[in-house]
Amino acid sequence: MRGKLIRGILILAVVLWIGGVEGRAEIAGDDALKNLQWNQVYEEPRHGGVVQSVCATEYYIITMENMADNPDVPDIVSAYYRRDTDENGNPVTPYTLAKRVQSREWEHCNGMAYNPGTNEIYVALYTHTISENRGCLYVMDPVTLDYKRTIKISDDYNILGIDYQEENNRYVIQTNADGGYSFKILDENFAVIEDLGEYAHTAEGSNFQDLAVCGDYILNFPLTLNMGIGDFIHMYSISRREMVAAEQLDFGFSGVTADEPESLCELAPGLFLAIVNVEVEGQGSMIRFYDTLIPYNMTFTPVKTAGTPKSVTVKTPDEETEGVKSDGKGLKIPPIFESVKKKLSKQEFQLPAKFVLTFIIMTLAFLLVFLSAYAYVLRIRRERRRKERARRRRRRMALETGSV
């Protein structure tokens, strides 16, 4: 029995080590948006326009500020550092401005999506003040922030929002009212391959903002500006083709007289960033960045060939992390992740599968050593008992012979 157990442990360790693990992270369920805690991580004055969209590249957070729906007024594209180093490895402060470009008009620039495979950003225009832009996307270079080309999707509607699904290599868009605010799936060549239906009747407000896609879910903000009903976030299921949640938002405003959440993107598994335009007493028109942790589930299974590192969900105990700047071992923690640490109490977070895999293998190795040592001790004890029985038998035989 012990031999079979040891062989099983060795086989499992080999499978995990050679094959690696394949993981899938996804939003925990239809109730995952309830009671989200939003943390303000950045603020700066606007430049006379409205910041409409956001996306994240490997090193930058990109926003677009629509200055006017006028082809003669150029819009502002800004890049903020996403990490504590830039693309050249130089130390930087996350969320601070890296570069800003104001060279062309991007229509209403209502949504953005970054594809790391093509290394391009795709901009949902929403308007067509230039007539030939109806139903089009603009393509942006994520390094120079310059225009590259135009992609025509349809002549029947404009495009409100867009996001890219890397796991499926496809795009999800939402149309404007002309298309019934429908969600559509595009292939890698931007051809419509699936229509998820029209959602004109679902908005808590009168319109929709940009969207973000995560697994089976589409997230977006409805337009509720000046309606007096507060802010909301919607969640739609792709597989069920229906809205499954419309939750009230609480950004914890103080001194804010008006606000408009416009767009959100995912920075890390479960970590989402929202951009919110606000009017603040004594400060005027500002743009703010807020992040939040959305509960995630993670499943992983052994695979035959190792791929890129995945993630795994673990639970953490209650802990107070306010003001923490290191991990207790002298390791510096980038400021962008401090807000994650503040929300770990009763939350789910992601660890690299390489770390988890190493921990599993070390645990199995320890168990194997322990079982081997235990088996050795048992063998010694059996040998001692055998010798003791033999000694007693010889003594008994000697006594019996003497008595005769």
Side-chain angles (χ1 to χ4, degrees):
M1 180 66 180
R2 284 190 298 272
K4 291 182 178 179
L5 179 60
I6 292 174
R7 285 197 300 272
I9 293 173
L10 286 173
I11 291 172
L12 178 60
V14 169
V15 169
L16 288 172
W17 180 252
I18 296 178
V21 291
E22 183 177 76
R24 179 178 180 181
E26 56 188 2
I27 292 177
D30 295 354
D31 296 330
L33 302 184
K34 289 183 179 296
N35 303 315
L36 293 179
Q37 301 296 312
W38 295 88
N39 178 55
Q40 182 182 326
V41 295
Y42 184 74
E43 177 186 61
E44 73 173 22
R46 302 205 306 265
H47 304 88
V50 176
V51 179
Q52 299 287 353
S53 55
V54 65
C55 72
T57 66
E58 183 177 0
Y59 292 99
Y60 297 99
I61 296 166
I62 312 293
T63 67
M64 301 189 73
E65 183 173 352
N66 178 35
M67 302 305 292
D69 287 334
N70 184 328
D72 297 323
V73 179
D75 300 315
I76 296 176
V77 184
S78 302
Y80 304 85
Y81 293 114
R82 177 180 177 181
R83 310 181 187 279
D84 58 1
T85 58
D86 63 15
E87 68 269 32
N88 299 314
N90 301 314
V92 294
T93 302
Y95 293 124
T96 56
L97 182 67
K99 48 190 169 183
R100 178 165 283 150
V101 175
Q102 187 175 10
S103 60
R104 66 167 288 121
E105 204 268 344
W106 295 84
E107 292 283 353
H108 201 72
C109 50
N110 203 69
M112 283 194 293
Y114 173 65
N115 183 337
T118 61
N119 195 33
E120 292 180 329
I121 295 173
Y122 305 99
V123 182
L125 308 183
Y126 182 36
T127 58
H128 60 284
T129 55
I130 302 174
S131 59
E132 58 265 30
N133 281 341
R134 179 171 174 80
C136 288
L137 301 171
Y138 276 160
V139 183
M140 180 194 299
D141 186 302
V143 178
T144 64
L145 308 182
D146 291 333
Y147 166 85
K148 293 182 66 175
R149 68 184 187 280
T150 299
I151 299 173
K152 171 69 84 170
I153 304 298
S154 174
D155 289 316
D156 299 327
Y157 49 76
N158 280 318
I159 301 168
L160 267 176
I162 184 171
D163 202 9
Y164 174 66
Q165 278 189 311
E166 187 171 2
E167 65 270 24
N168 297 319
N169 190 26
R170 64 187 190 182
Y171 304 87
V172 177
I173 64 170
Q174 185 172 22
T175 72
N176 68 340
D178 296 336
Y181 297 113
S182 62
F183 292 116
K184 301 180 189 296
I185 296 177
L186 315 180
D187 65 14
E188 68 273 17
N189 298 313
F190 299 94
V192 177
I193 57 175
E194 188 174 359
D195 192 321
L196 302 180
E198 298 184 0
Y199 294 88
H201 60 288
T202 65
E204 290 292 335
S206 59
N207 205 331
F208 296 86
Q209 311 283 24
D210 190 20
L211 63 89
V213 180
C214 181
D216 185 50
Y217 293 111
I218 302 170
L219 309 179
N220 68 12
F221 296 130
L223 175 61
T224 61
L225 186 65
N226 300 322
M227 295 182 66
I229 62 174
D231 299 318
F232 287 82
I233 183 170
H234 289 169
M235 183 160 68
Y236 300 84
S237 168
I238 294 175
S239 62
R240 286 171 280 167
R241 300 191 177 196
E242 63 180 359
M243 185 168 74
V244 296
E247 300 294 340
Q248 192 95 35
L249 291 170
D250 182 7
F251 292 106
F253 291 139
S254 177
V256 173
T257 59
D259 73 283
E260 184 179 9
E262 285 283 357
S263 182
L264 73 166
C265 66
E266 191 172 17
L267 298 180
L271 179 62
F272 284 80
L273 180 76
I275 57 168
V276 185
N277 295 276
V278 294
E279 297 291 333
V280 185
E281 292 182 12
Q283 293 182 268
S285 300
M286 311 290 290
I287 179 63
R288 288 181 177 178
F289 295 176
Y290 290 85
D291 70 9
T292 190
L293 279 173
I294 296 179
Y296 258 43
N297 287 334
M298 179 68 200
T299 57
F300 64 96
T301 55
V303 294
K304 294 182 179 180
T305 56
T308 57
K310 306 293 182 181
S311 300
V312 63
T313 301
V314 299
K315 295 277 190 177
T316 61
D318 293 351
E319 62 177 346
E320 190 66 39
T321 56
E322 187 69 31
V324 174
K325 299 296 182 182
S326 72
D327 67 351
K329 298 180 180 179
L331 299 177
K332 184 178 179 182
I333 296 175
I336 193 170
F337 294 112
E338 290 177 17
S339 59
V340 178
K341 289 178 68 64
K342 294 177 184 177
K343 305 183 188 74
L344 288 182
S345 176
K346 295 181 181 180
Q347 294 284 341
E348 296 179 346
F349 71 101
Q350 308 294 316
L351 287 176
K354 185 177 181 180
F355 170 84
V356 177
L357 182 60
T358 302
F359 174 79
I360 292 174
I361 292 174
M362 290 179 65
T363 302
L364 293 175
F366 173 79
L367 183 59
L368 178 60
V369 171
F370 173 79
L371 290 175
S372 299
Y374 181 63
Y376 177 72
V377 170
L378 290 179
R379 189 166 59 252
I380 291 176
R381 289 179 178 177
R382 286 197 301 270
E383 182 64 20
R384 287 178 177 175
R385 286 197 294 268
R386 185 189 65 78
K387 290 181 178 180
E388 180 64 20
R389 287 195 299 270
R391 186 184 65 81
R392 290 177 180 176
R393 186 168 56 253
R394 286 193 301 271
R395 183 180 178 183
R396 187 172 58 253
M397 291 175 63
L399 290 174
E400 290 175 352
T401 302
S403 62
V404 174

